[in-house]
Amino acid sequence: MNDKTLLTIDVSHGTTHDGPGMRTTVFVKGCSLRCRWCQNPESIGARNEPWWDARACIGCLSCRDACPTGALSFTDKGLSINRSVCRACLSCCEACPAEALSPEAQRYTMDALLREVLRDRTYYEQFGGGVTCSGGEPLLQYEFLAEFFERLHDAGVTTALDTCGCAPLKNLEAMLPVTDYLLYDMKIFDPDAHRAFTGQDNALILSNLLHAADSMRRRGFPKKLWIRTPLIWEATATPENIRAIGRFIGENLMDVLERWELCAFNGACVAKYDKLGLHWDYAGRGTMSRAQIEPLRLAALENVSEDKLLVSGMIRER
């Protein structure tokens, strides 16, 4: 019996942007970075904590009364959770009759997760898709995912790993033989700026990326490499940063690179920060325009050919 489990924040069916074709994306919980712009803030912590939907709350205070540590209180702004004393016991969620409080995550056994994703096998076959693991950071739960990917290969399903690369090399090394598409984030090239915006420098990230590229050359896996760079206001979205990333790609990865994707900023995740009671630095920032993205695209093209560059996401015409 396999008693391993995976802590996930979502299993999203019918995705089209986390690898080729139509895919099922498994978003795991726990991350090694603390990106200020994170699109999935509920994925950052490793514990399964509660979050609160103000729209569903009926103000009965059952959650507050059920909390064994007194972590919950109500203010004129609604429910406040003191996460420094929260035990993540989820008693508040169990006590909430309106389900305004719910767990951030769900735990899957191997067999249960395989059943969930293989429901979409027909779509993978018809549209050339497969299963992607994203996050959070999948490499933090690599032991489960390496076996999960192997089982998917046994079922004839292709796999994609979407990673920031900030994890021990042994974690990455365990995943490479069972990964068809490696989707690898390069956010900021300058190490000091990378630390300022993500909480870590990028030395390990770059080292792991070079190791993955060498694995492609010597061993033939992963089969494809996509680099992904989020375009974030005043952080990653500067010509200087894009040019520096492009130089690294041009000098080290062009022989193995299939795609470099510039992912336009998306502010839709602000509701998640509200549910967590967190301030988000990028709340209220709108989508980027084509005129704002064009200098970044041109900076990327200084080192990467146009057939390997893709700009994705919601973009304003003006």
Side-chain angles (χ1 to χ4, degrees):
M1 179 179 177
N2 191 331
D3 59 358
K4 296 176 184 175
T5 60
L6 183 76
L7 193 59
T8 71
I9 60 167
D10 190 26
V11 177
S12 183
H13 299 269
T15 62
T16 57
H17 52 272
D18 294 319
M22 185 170 289
R23 312 190 68 78
T24 303
T25 303
V26 179
F27 293 91
V28 306
K29 188 160 170 56
C31 192
S32 43
L33 298 183
R34 299 293 184 269
C35 301
R36 295 186 189 178
W37 56 81
C38 182
Q39 298 291 293
N40 295 316
E42 76 278 23
S43 74
I44 294 176
R47 300 193 309 168
N48 189 9
E49 295 183 309
W51 62 351
W52 178 65
D53 186 348
R55 297 168 300 179
C57 184
I58 59 175
C60 67
L61 307 185
S62 298
C63 56
R64 183 197 64 183
D65 297 340
C67 178
T69 63
L72 276 63
S73 61
F74 276 83
T75 70
D76 56 355
K77 295 183 179 180
L79 180 67
S80 175
I81 303 175
N82 184 345
R83 298 191 183 272
S84 66
V85 299
C86 174
R87 293 180 189 168
C89 68
L90 303 179
S91 296
C92 55
C93 300
E94 295 170 6
C96 180
E99 299 183 351
L101 274 164
S102 60
E104 294 173 333
Q106 178 179 354
R107 195 171 289 279
Y108 279 92
T109 64
M110 183 69 67
D111 289 343
L113 187 57
L114 284 166
R115 283 195 301 271
E116 179 69 22
V117 301
L118 290 177
R119 290 166 42 200
D120 297 334
R121 186 199 297 264
T122 300
Y123 296 105
Y124 310 151
E125 294 170 352
Q126 184 174 356
F127 298 103
V131 174
T132 299
C133 281
S134 185
E137 177 44 61
L139 291 179
L140 299 185
Q141 299 189 63
Y142 76 98
E143 291 175 306
F144 182 103
L145 291 177
E147 181 179 343
F148 177 58
F149 274 17
E150 184 175 5
R151 298 272 294 272
L152 288 170
H153 275 181
D154 291 343
V157 176
T158 63
T159 60
L161 174 67
D162 182 8
T163 177
C164 73
C166 190
L169 176 59
K170 68 178 179 65
N171 300 26
L172 176 64
E173 183 65 23
M175 294 295 299
L176 292 178
V178 289
T179 298
D180 296 308
Y181 284 82
L182 180 61
L183 282 52
Y184 205 100
D185 288 356
M186 289 189 70
K187 306 173 192 293
I188 301 176
F189 192 75
D190 179 81
D192 293 330
H194 197 283
R195 180 182 292 278
F197 281 101
T198 74
Q200 301 283 348
D201 69 31
N202 58 358
L204 178 59
I205 293 169
L206 297 179
S207 174
N208 281 344
L209 177 55
L210 292 174
H211 180 86
D214 191 51
S215 176
M216 293 180 72
R217 298 181 186 107
R218 293 186 299 107
R219 299 185 289 176
F221 51 75
K223 296 182 178 67
K224 304 287 185 180
L225 173 65
W226 292 7
I227 300 298
R228 304 175 98 185
T229 302
L231 299 181
I232 309 299
W233 302 98
E234 291 92 40
T236 71
T238 68
E240 294 76 18
N241 181 56
I242 299 302
R243 192 172 291 115
I245 293 174
R247 280 196 297 268
F248 181 89
I249 292 173
E251 292 169 3
N252 298 283
L253 303 174
M254 283 303 294
D255 61 321
V256 294
L257 179 74
E258 181 172 82
R259 174 187 292 183
W260 181 15
E261 184 176 1
L262 305 180
C263 309
F265 173 82
N266 186 342
C269 63
V270 66
K272 295 184 175 185
Y273 284 87
D274 291 340
K275 289 179 71 174
L276 291 167
L278 298 175
H279 169 76
W280 190 39
D281 292 345
Y282 297 90
R285 298 305 298 261
T287 55
M288 292 180 172
S289 68
R290 293 200 180 276
Q292 290 167 323
I293 287 178
E294 183 61 10
L296 307 176
R297 191 184 72 86
L298 293 175
L301 289 174
E302 292 178 17
N303 291 279
V304 174
S305 58
E306 192 156 10
D307 62 308
K308 293 192 174 185
L309 184 68
L310 174 70
V311 179
S312 65
M314 296 180 61
I315 303 170
R316 289 186 291 112
E317 288 298 323
R318 297 182 180 180

